[in-house]
Amino acid sequence: AMTLTLLCACGNNDTPSGEQTNTGDNTQAGELSVTPKILGTDEIKIAYIPISTAGVTNRMVELAFNDTIDAYKDTVTVDYFDPGYDAQTQITMVNDAVNQGYDVILLECSDPVSLATPVAEAEAAGVPVITLNLNAETPHTLHLRAVDYMSGWKAAETLANDFGADSGQKVIIMD
């Protein structure tokens, strides 16, 4: 099973004491570079861009997303894109997702080198990119592989803690 953490949906900027943290203007390595959204309150748009939507695997991913976000279907949207195994189409889709205001991009790179620039540009624009299976050849928010079940779960827990889930905020973890 693959574990995905949708980090754009992980709480707000308030600590339990009310002081502000992670305001989105952090620039140091390891610091958050996006302002988290409040799950169930803020609208959250997720772009899922696999290599292709052909085949049963992506249908299973779509069903899992739908089950996971069912309780938040009024505020969380996952849009599924089909690049048809074409890296150039994926590049266009990543750029479009940034320009259309998506909050996070889940990307299965068909060409890790070709997608490095649009992934870096998305991150620079404040849109976190989570790559699945094949990694982009550039630093980005998170990379998960289907065989990394335990590391994916650990990454999900770490991100949940970083975003304040232990203070009562909600985090979507899909297993």
Side-chain angles (χ1 to χ4, degrees), residues 83-141:
Y85 301 99
D86 183 62
Q88 192 59 46
T89 301
Q90 277 191 311
I91 290 169
T92 300
M93 289 176 170
V94 169
N95 293 332
D96 288 349
V98 172
N99 293 331
Q100 293 172 15
Y102 281 85
D103 297 297
V104 67
I105 298 170
L106 303 177
L107 175 66
E108 185 178 26
C109 297
S110 59
D111 182 343
V113 174
S114 294
L115 284 153
T117 298
V119 167
E121 290 171 350
E123 290 279 344
V127 180
V129 178
I130 300 172
T131 54
L132 311 170
N133 300 319
L134 292 174
N135 201 0
E137 295 280 326
T138 188
H140 55 285
T141 300

Tab-separated table of all heavy atoms in Angstrom, residues 83-141:
chain	number	residue	atom	x	y	z
A	83	PRO	N	-2.028	12.500	-18.484
A	83	PRO	CA	-1.066	12.948	-19.485
A	83	PRO	C	-0.792	11.918	-20.571
A	83	PRO	O	-0.038	12.194	-21.512
A	83	PRO	CB	0.195	13.214	-18.665
A	83	PRO	CG	0.075	12.288	-17.508
A	83	PRO	CD	-1.398	12.177	-17.212
A	84	GLY	N	-1.390	10.741	-20.466
A	84	GLY	CA	-1.246	9.728	-21.512
A	84	GLY	C	0.187	9.301	-21.765
A	84	GLY	O	0.595	9.171	-22.919
A	85	TYR	N	0.951	9.124	-20.699
A	85	TYR	CA	2.349	8.664	-20.801
A	85	TYR	C	3.267	9.677	-21.480
A	85	TYR	O	4.335	9.313	-21.959
A	85	TYR	CB	2.446	7.329	-21.536
A	85	TYR	CG	1.676	6.208	-20.896
A	85	TYR	CD1	0.422	5.849	-21.370
A	85	TYR	CD2	2.196	5.511	-19.814
A	85	TYR	CE1	-0.294	4.820	-20.788
A	85	TYR	CE2	1.486	4.483	-19.220
A	85	TYR	CZ	0.244	4.132	-19.703
A	85	TYR	OH	-0.464	3.128	-19.123
A	86	ASP	N	2.897	10.955	-21.517
A	86	ASP	CA	3.677	11.949	-22.229
A	86	ASP	C	4.264	12.968	-21.252
A	86	ASP	O	3.503	13.698	-20.581
A	86	ASP	CB	2.796	12.654	-23.265
A	86	ASP	CG	3.576	13.651	-24.088
A	86	ASP	OD1	4.511	13.237	-24.800
A	86	ASP	OD2	3.242	14.849	-24.002
A	87	ALA	N	5.587	13.036	-21.177
A	87	ALA	CA	6.259	13.951	-20.244
A	87	ALA	C	5.941	15.409	-20.559
A	87	ALA	O	5.745	16.220	-19.638
A	87	ALA	CB	7.760	13.719	-20.270
A	88	GLN	N	5.888	15.772	-21.822
A	88	GLN	CA	5.592	17.155	-22.190
A	88	GLN	C	4.191	17.560	-21.720
A	88	GLN	O	3.985	18.678	-21.253
A	88	GLN	CB	5.724	17.361	-23.700
A	88	GLN	CG	5.717	18.814	-24.114
A	88	GLN	CD	6.854	19.615	-23.473
A	88	GLN	OE1	8.003	19.183	-23.450
A	88	GLN	NE2	6.536	20.781	-22.940
A	89	THR	N	3.248	16.629	-21.808
A	89	THR	CA	1.897	16.907	-21.314
A	89	THR	C	1.916	17.063	-19.799
A	89	THR	O	1.229	17.931	-19.254
A	89	THR	CB	0.926	15.784	-21.741
A	89	THR	OG1	0.935	15.698	-23.172
A	89	THR	CG2	-0.488	16.057	-21.269
A	90	GLN	N	2.716	16.246	-19.105
A	90	GLN	CA	2.842	16.395	-17.653
A	90	GLN	C	3.409	17.765	-17.293
A	90	GLN	O	2.945	18.393	-16.338
A	90	GLN	CB	3.735	15.304	-17.059
A	90	GLN	CG	3.013	14.010	-16.799
A	90	GLN	CD	3.863	13.064	-15.967
A	90	GLN	OE1	5.029	12.834	-16.267
A	90	GLN	NE2	3.267	12.520	-14.930
A	91	ILE	N	4.407	18.222	-18.024
A	91	ILE	CA	4.997	19.539	-17.768
A	91	ILE	C	3.913	20.613	-17.871
A	91	ILE	O	3.778	21.471	-16.996
A	91	ILE	CB	6.151	19.818	-18.751
A	91	ILE	CG1	7.335	18.905	-18.427
A	91	ILE	CG2	6.552	21.295	-18.730
A	91	ILE	CD1	8.419	18.889	-19.478
A	92	THR	N	3.126	20.546	-18.923
A	92	THR	CA	2.029	21.506	-19.116
A	92	THR	C	1.031	21.415	-17.967
A	92	THR	O	0.561	22.436	-17.449
A	92	THR	CB	1.327	21.253	-20.465
A	92	THR	OG1	2.289	21.414	-21.511
A	92	THR	CG2	0.166	22.208	-20.674
A	93	MET	N	0.705	20.197	-17.546
A	93	MET	CA	-0.269	20.008	-16.467
A	93	MET	C	0.242	20.556	-15.136
A	93	MET	O	-0.527	21.148	-14.367
A	93	MET	CB	-0.632	18.532	-16.339
A	93	MET	CG	-1.474	18.035	-17.477
A	93	MET	SD	-1.768	16.257	-17.323
A	93	MET	CE	-3.005	16.033	-18.581
A	94	VAL	N	1.523	20.358	-14.835
A	94	VAL	CA	2.097	20.907	-13.599
A	94	VAL	C	2.017	22.433	-13.644
A	94	VAL	O	1.578	23.070	-12.678
A	94	VAL	CB	3.551	20.422	-13.389
A	94	VAL	CG1	4.231	21.208	-12.263
A	94	VAL	CG2	3.582	18.927	-13.094
A	95	ASN	N	2.428	23.030	-14.751
A	95	ASN	CA	2.360	24.491	-14.889
A	95	ASN	C	0.921	24.994	-14.784
A	95	ASN	O	0.657	26.005	-14.125
A	95	ASN	CB	2.986	24.936	-16.213
A	95	ASN	CG	4.478	24.702	-16.251
A	95	ASN	OD1	5.149	24.702	-15.219
A	95	ASN	ND2	5.009	24.493	-17.441
A	96	ASP	N	-0.013	24.284	-15.410
A	96	ASP	CA	-1.428	24.666	-15.331
A	96	ASP	C	-1.951	24.569	-13.900
A	96	ASP	O	-2.724	25.429	-13.458
A	96	ASP	CB	-2.280	23.803	-16.261
A	96	ASP	CG	-2.083	24.135	-17.738
A	96	ASP	OD1	-1.441	25.172	-18.055
A	96	ASP	OD2	-2.563	23.347	-18.576
A	97	ALA	N	-1.547	23.527	-13.178
A	97	ALA	CA	-1.999	23.358	-11.792
A	97	ALA	C	-1.542	24.538	-10.932
A	97	ALA	O	-2.297	25.035	-10.094
A	97	ALA	CB	-1.494	22.032	-11.226
A	98	VAL	N	-0.318	24.994	-11.144
A	98	VAL	CA	0.182	26.160	-10.411
A	98	VAL	C	-0.645	27.388	-10.788
A	98	VAL	O	-1.131	28.118	-9.916
A	98	VAL	CB	1.685	26.399	-10.702
A	98	VAL	CG1	2.145	27.728	-10.103
A	98	VAL	CG2	2.514	25.236	-10.168
A	99	ASN	N	-0.815	27.620	-12.075
A	99	ASN	CA	-1.545	28.807	-12.550
A	99	ASN	C	-3.023	28.792	-12.172
A	99	ASN	O	-3.644	29.850	-12.053
A	99	ASN	CB	-1.405	28.941	-14.072
A	99	ASN	CG	0.017	29.258	-14.475
A	99	ASN	OD1	0.760	29.885	-13.725
A	99	ASN	ND2	0.404	28.810	-15.654
A	100	GLN	N	-3.588	27.608	-11.976
A	100	GLN	CA	-5.003	27.488	-11.627
A	100	GLN	C	-5.239	27.445	-10.119
A	100	GLN	O	-6.352	27.231	-9.669
A	100	GLN	CB	-5.601	26.250	-12.294
A	100	GLN	CG	-5.659	26.374	-13.802
A	100	GLN	CD	-6.060	25.080	-14.485
A	100	GLN	OE1	-6.559	24.143	-13.859
A	100	GLN	NE2	-5.829	25.009	-15.790
A	101	GLY	N	-4.201	27.654	-9.330
A	101	GLY	CA	-4.359	27.797	-7.889
A	101	GLY	C	-4.516	26.515	-7.100
A	101	GLY	O	-5.114	26.525	-6.022
A	102	TYR	N	-3.977	25.412	-7.592
A	102	TYR	CA	-4.022	24.182	-6.799
A	102	TYR	C	-3.144	24.350	-5.572
A	102	TYR	O	-2.131	25.051	-5.606
A	102	TYR	CB	-3.576	22.971	-7.629
A	102	TYR	CG	-4.678	22.475	-8.531
A	102	TYR	CD1	-4.878	23.041	-9.781
A	102	TYR	CD2	-5.538	21.471	-8.107
A	102	TYR	CE1	-5.908	22.615	-10.602
A	102	TYR	CE2	-6.570	21.035	-8.926
A	102	TYR	CZ	-6.751	21.617	-10.174
A	102	TYR	OH	-7.772	21.191	-10.968
A	103	ASP	N	-3.533	23.700	-4.488
A	103	ASP	CA	-2.814	23.812	-3.224
A	103	ASP	C	-1.674	22.817	-3.091
A	103	ASP	O	-0.737	23.045	-2.325
A	103	ASP	CB	-3.789	23.629	-2.056
A	103	ASP	CG	-4.830	24.722	-2.055
A	103	ASP	OD1	-4.452	25.896	-1.890
A	103	ASP	OD2	-6.026	24.403	-2.241
A	104	VAL	N	-1.757	21.711	-3.801
A	104	VAL	CA	-0.706	20.692	-3.769
A	104	VAL	C	-0.791	19.888	-5.065
A	104	VAL	O	-1.869	19.753	-5.646
A	104	VAL	CB	-0.826	19.768	-2.530
A	104	VAL	CG1	-2.068	18.911	-2.579
A	104	VAL	CG2	0.409	18.916	-2.338
A	105	ILE	N	0.364	19.402	-5.505
A	105	ILE	CA	0.415	18.575	-6.702
A	105	ILE	C	0.996	17.223	-6.316
A	105	ILE	O	2.069	17.148	-5.716
A	105	ILE	CB	1.302	19.212	-7.797
A	105	ILE	CG1	0.718	20.558	-8.234
A	105	ILE	CG2	1.456	18.259	-8.986
A	105	ILE	CD1	1.654	21.368	-9.129
A	106	LEU	N	0.268	16.155	-6.630
A	106	LEU	CA	0.760	14.790	-6.493
A	106	LEU	C	1.170	14.356	-7.886
A	106	LEU	O	0.349	14.328	-8.792
A	106	LEU	CB	-0.319	13.864	-5.943
A	106	LEU	CG	-0.918	14.271	-4.598
A	106	LEU	CD1	-2.035	13.310	-4.209
A	106	LEU	CD2	0.145	14.306	-3.538
A	107	LEU	N	2.451	14.020	-8.060
A	107	LEU	CA	2.995	13.801	-9.390
A	107	LEU	C	3.773	12.494	-9.467
A	107	LEU	O	4.666	12.257	-8.659
A	107	LEU	CB	3.929	14.963	-9.752
A	107	LEU	CG	4.696	14.875	-11.055
A	107	LEU	CD1	3.740	14.912	-12.252
A	107	LEU	CD2	5.718	16.004	-11.131
A	108	GLU	N	3.416	11.670	-10.444
A	108	GLU	CA	4.203	10.478	-10.760
A	108	GLU	C	4.961	10.819	-12.049
A	108	GLU	O	4.387	10.827	-13.137
A	108	GLU	CB	3.300	9.264	-10.959
A	108	GLU	CG	4.078	7.994	-11.178
A	108	GLU	CD	3.175	6.787	-11.322
A	108	GLU	OE1	2.009	6.940	-11.742
A	108	GLU	OE2	3.657	5.687	-11.024
A	109	CYS	N	6.239	11.134	-11.899
A	109	CYS	CA	7.039	11.628	-13.031
A	109	CYS	C	7.248	10.545	-14.086
A	109	CYS	O	7.700	9.454	-13.780
A	109	CYS	CB	8.414	12.082	-12.554
A	109	CYS	SG	8.384	13.460	-11.420
A	110	SER	N	6.970	10.894	-15.325
A	110	SER	CA	7.298	9.981	-16.421
A	110	SER	C	8.736	10.202	-16.872
A	110	SER	O	9.358	9.294	-17.413
A	110	SER	CB	6.344	10.187	-17.601
A	110	SER	OG	6.427	11.513	-18.067
A	111	ASP	N	9.271	11.392	-16.632
A	111	ASP	CA	10.657	11.724	-16.977
A	111	ASP	C	11.203	12.641	-15.881
A	111	ASP	O	10.950	13.849	-15.897
A	111	ASP	CB	10.709	12.413	-18.342
A	111	ASP	CG	12.120	12.742	-18.788
A	111	ASP	OD1	13.046	12.747	-17.958
A	111	ASP	OD2	12.292	13.012	-19.988
A	112	PRO	N	11.938	12.083	-14.920
A	112	PRO	CA	12.407	12.866	-13.774
A	112	PRO	C	13.261	14.081	-14.135
A	112	PRO	O	13.219	15.086	-13.441
A	112	PRO	CB	13.226	11.854	-12.966
A	112	PRO	CG	12.674	10.529	-13.357
A	112	PRO	CD	12.283	10.669	-14.801
A	113	VAL	N	14.008	14.018	-15.235
A	113	VAL	CA	14.850	15.144	-15.636
A	113	VAL	C	13.997	16.253	-16.256
A	113	VAL	O	14.117	17.426	-15.892
A	113	VAL	CB	15.963	14.676	-16.610
A	113	VAL	CG1	16.758	15.861	-17.137
A	113	VAL	CG2	16.885	13.677	-15.918
A	114	SER	N	13.125	15.894	-17.186
A	114	SER	CA	12.279	16.891	-17.854
A	114	SER	C	11.339	17.600	-16.879
A	114	SER	O	11.013	18.771	-17.059
A	114	SER	CB	11.435	16.237	-18.951
A	114	SER	OG	12.254	15.764	-19.980
A	115	LEU	N	10.905	16.901	-15.838
A	115	LEU	CA	9.948	17.487	-14.893
A	115	LEU	C	10.627	18.254	-13.759
A	115	LEU	O	9.949	18.881	-12.951
A	115	LEU	CB	9.027	16.400	-14.349
A	115	LEU	CG	7.967	16.015	-15.384
A	115	LEU	CD1	7.493	14.598	-15.215
A	115	LEU	CD2	6.811	16.985	-15.318
A	116	ALA	N	11.958	18.247	-13.708
A	116	ALA	CA	12.669	18.943	-12.632
A	116	ALA	C	12.350	20.442	-12.621
A	116	ALA	O	12.056	21.008	-11.564
A	116	ALA	CB	14.173	18.710	-12.750
A	117	THR	N	12.401	21.081	-13.764
A	117	THR	CA	12.158	22.527	-13.817
A	117	THR	C	10.735	22.893	-13.409
A	117	THR	O	10.553	23.759	-12.543
A	117	THR	CB	12.506	23.087	-15.213
A	117	THR	OG1	13.895	22.859	-15.446
A	117	THR	CG2	12.197	24.574	-15.305
A	118	PRO	N	9.687	22.261	-13.971
A	118	PRO	CA	8.342	22.641	-13.521
A	118	PRO	C	8.085	22.319	-12.042
A	118	PRO	O	7.356	23.053	-11.376
A	118	PRO	CB	7.397	21.860	-14.432
A	118	PRO	CG	8.221	20.932	-15.214
A	118	PRO	CD	9.642	21.355	-15.108
A	119	VAL	N	8.696	21.252	-11.532
A	119	VAL	CA	8.542	20.943	-10.104
A	119	VAL	C	9.203	22.035	-9.267
A	119	VAL	O	8.615	22.530	-8.291
A	119	VAL	CB	9.109	19.542	-9.774
A	119	VAL	CG1	9.252	19.346	-8.276
A	119	VAL	CG2	8.215	18.457	-10.372
A	120	ALA	N	10.410	22.447	-9.637
A	120	ALA	CA	11.103	23.516	-8.914
A	120	ALA	C	10.312	24.822	-8.983
A	120	ALA	O	10.205	25.548	-7.990
A	120	ALA	CB	12.511	23.706	-9.482
A	121	GLU	N	9.736	25.113	-10.141
A	121	GLU	CA	8.938	26.331	-10.305
A	121	GLU	C	7.656	26.273	-9.463
A	121	GLU	O	7.243	27.288	-8.891
A	121	GLU	CB	8.613	26.556	-11.775
A	121	GLU	CG	9.831	26.949	-12.598
A	121	GLU	CD	9.588	26.959	-14.100
A	121	GLU	OE1	8.509	26.477	-14.567
A	121	GLU	OE2	10.487	27.424	-14.828
A	122	ALA	N	7.034	25.105	-9.396
A	122	ALA	CA	5.836	24.954	-8.561
A	122	ALA	C	6.187	25.197	-7.094
A	122	ALA	O	5.482	25.928	-6.386
A	122	ALA	CB	5.224	23.571	-8.748
A	123	GLU	N	7.268	24.584	-6.646
A	123	GLU	CA	7.701	24.774	-5.260
A	123	GLU	C	8.014	26.243	-4.991
A	123	GLU	O	7.628	26.783	-3.962
A	123	GLU	CB	8.925	23.908	-4.968
A	123	GLU	CG	8.633	22.422	-4.912
A	123	GLU	CD	8.049	21.960	-3.594
A	123	GLU	OE1	8.118	22.694	-2.575
A	123	GLU	OE2	7.527	20.826	-3.562
A	124	ALA	N	8.703	26.908	-5.935
A	124	ALA	CA	9.032	28.324	-5.765
A	124	ALA	C	7.779	29.188	-5.705
A	124	ALA	O	7.770	30.231	-5.049
A	124	ALA	CB	9.939	28.785	-6.907
A	125	ALA	N	6.718	28.741	-6.374
A	125	ALA	CA	5.441	29.469	-6.355
A	125	ALA	C	4.617	29.148	-5.107
A	125	ALA	O	3.508	29.661	-4.950
A	125	ALA	CB	4.635	29.134	-7.613
A	126	GLY	N	5.143	28.289	-4.235
A	126	GLY	CA	4.437	27.961	-2.998
A	126	GLY	C	3.488	26.789	-3.111
A	126	GLY	O	2.664	26.575	-2.225
A	127	VAL	N	3.586	26.020	-4.196
A	127	VAL	CA	2.731	24.846	-4.364
A	127	VAL	C	3.586	23.610	-4.066
A	127	VAL	O	4.481	23.273	-4.838
A	127	VAL	CB	2.154	24.758	-5.792
A	127	VAL	CG1	1.266	23.524	-5.930
A	127	VAL	CG2	1.373	26.023	-6.132
A	128	PRO	N	3.322	22.933	-2.948
A	128	PRO	CA	4.100	21.744	-2.618
A	128	PRO	C	3.881	20.638	-3.653
A	128	PRO	O	2.766	20.440	-4.132
A	128	PRO	CB	3.558	21.299	-1.265
A	128	PRO	CG	2.729	22.425	-0.759
A	128	PRO	CD	2.321	23.237	-1.948
A	129	VAL	N	4.953	19.945	-3.988
A	129	VAL	CA	4.878	18.830	-4.925
A	129	VAL	C	5.308	17.568	-4.192
A	129	VAL	O	6.375	17.520	-3.582
A	129	VAL	CB	5.778	19.052	-6.161
A	129	VAL	CG1	5.722	17.845	-7.092
A	129	VAL	CG2	5.365	20.319	-6.901
A	130	ILE	N	4.446	16.560	-4.255
A	130	ILE	CA	4.755	15.238	-3.706
A	130	ILE	C	4.885	14.303	-4.888
A	130	ILE	O	3.940	14.137	-5.654
A	130	ILE	CB	3.645	14.748	-2.754
A	130	ILE	CG1	3.483	15.718	-1.586
A	130	ILE	CG2	3.948	13.330	-2.272
A	130	ILE	CD1	2.300	15.427	-0.688
A	131	THR	N	6.078	13.745	-5.076
A	131	THR	CA	6.272	12.813	-6.180
A	131	THR	C	6.038	11.394	-5.690
A	131	THR	O	6.319	11.061	-4.544
A	131	THR	CB	7.673	12.937	-6.808
A	131	THR	OG1	8.657	12.794	-5.787
A	131	THR	CG2	7.836	14.260	-7.520
A	132	LEU	N	5.513	10.589	-6.597
A	132	LEU	CA	5.178	9.202	-6.296
A	132	LEU	C	5.981	8.294	-7.223
A	132	LEU	O	6.020	8.522	-8.427
A	132	LEU	CB	3.685	8.959	-6.511
A	132	LEU	CG	2.737	9.972	-5.865
A	132	LEU	CD1	1.320	9.763	-6.353
A	132	LEU	CD2	2.828	9.873	-4.363
A	133	ASN	N	6.584	7.271	-6.663
A	133	ASN	CA	7.347	6.269	-7.405
A	133	ASN	C	8.592	6.863	-8.046
A	133	ASN	O	9.663	6.789	-7.469
A	133	ASN	CB	6.470	5.510	-8.391
A	133	ASN	CG	5.357	4.783	-7.668
A	133	ASN	OD1	5.580	4.211	-6.601
A	133	ASN	ND2	4.167	4.807	-8.215
A	134	LEU	N	8.501	7.461	-9.238
A	134	LEU	CA	9.667	8.094	-9.856
A	134	LEU	C	9.830	9.503	-9.297
A	134	LEU	O	8.875	10.279	-9.260
A	134	LEU	CB	9.514	8.149	-11.376
A	134	LEU	CG	9.566	6.810	-12.099
A	134	LEU	CD1	9.267	6.995	-13.579
A	134	LEU	CD2	10.914	6.142	-11.904
A	135	ASN	N	11.039	9.832	-8.903
A	135	ASN	CA	11.328	11.106	-8.269
A	135	ASN	C	11.726	12.150	-9.297
A	135	ASN	O	12.335	11.831	-10.307
A	135	ASN	CB	12.466	10.900	-7.271
A	135	ASN	CG	12.542	11.967	-6.220
A	135	ASN	OD1	11.749	12.896	-6.194
A	135	ASN	ND2	13.500	11.836	-5.333
A	136	ALA	N	11.429	13.409	-9.041
A	136	ALA	CA	11.904	14.500	-9.888
A	136	ALA	C	13.343	14.824	-9.495
A	136	ALA	O	13.702	14.731	-8.324
A	136	ALA	CB	11.026	15.731	-9.712
A	137	GLU	N	14.142	15.203	-10.455
A	137	GLU	CA	15.559	15.488	-10.235
A	137	GLU	C	15.762	16.905	-9.702
A	137	GLU	O	16.560	17.671	-10.244
A	137	GLU	CB	16.327	15.302	-11.541
A	137	GLU	CG	16.340	13.889	-12.056
A	137	GLU	CD	17.365	13.017	-11.337
A	137	GLU	OE1	18.432	13.527	-10.964
A	137	GLU	OE2	17.079	11.824	-11.151
A	138	THR	N	15.033	17.253	-8.650
A	138	THR	CA	15.156	18.560	-8.011
A	138	THR	C	14.594	18.452	-6.595
A	138	THR	O	13.723	17.612	-6.345
A	138	THR	CB	14.394	19.637	-8.820
A	138	THR	OG1	14.693	20.926	-8.284
A	138	THR	CG2	12.895	19.416	-8.790
A	139	PRO	N	15.089	19.244	-5.665
A	139	PRO	CA	14.506	19.217	-4.316
A	139	PRO	C	13.039	19.632	-4.358
A	139	PRO	O	12.671	20.559	-5.078
A	139	PRO	CB	15.338	20.257	-3.553
A	139	PRO	CG	16.608	20.382	-4.319
A	139	PRO	CD	16.239	20.145	-5.763
A	140	HIS	N	12.218	18.914	-3.601
A	140	HIS	CA	10.802	19.257	-3.500
A	140	HIS	C	10.276	18.727	-2.184
A	140	HIS	O	11.009	18.130	-1.399
A	140	HIS	CB	10.006	18.741	-4.705
A	140	HIS	CG	10.146	17.279	-4.952
A	140	HIS	ND1	11.277	16.713	-5.506
A	140	HIS	CD2	9.312	16.260	-4.712
A	140	HIS	CE1	11.121	15.405	-5.586
A	140	HIS	NE2	9.935	15.110	-5.105
A	141	THR	N	9.002	18.922	-1.941
A	141	THR	CA	8.421	18.683	-0.623
A	141	THR	C	8.576	17.252	-0.129
A	141	THR	O	9.015	17.026	0.987
A	141	THR	CB	6.931	19.090	-0.632
A	141	THR	OG1	6.853	20.474	-0.953
A	141	THR	CG2	6.280	18.828	0.712
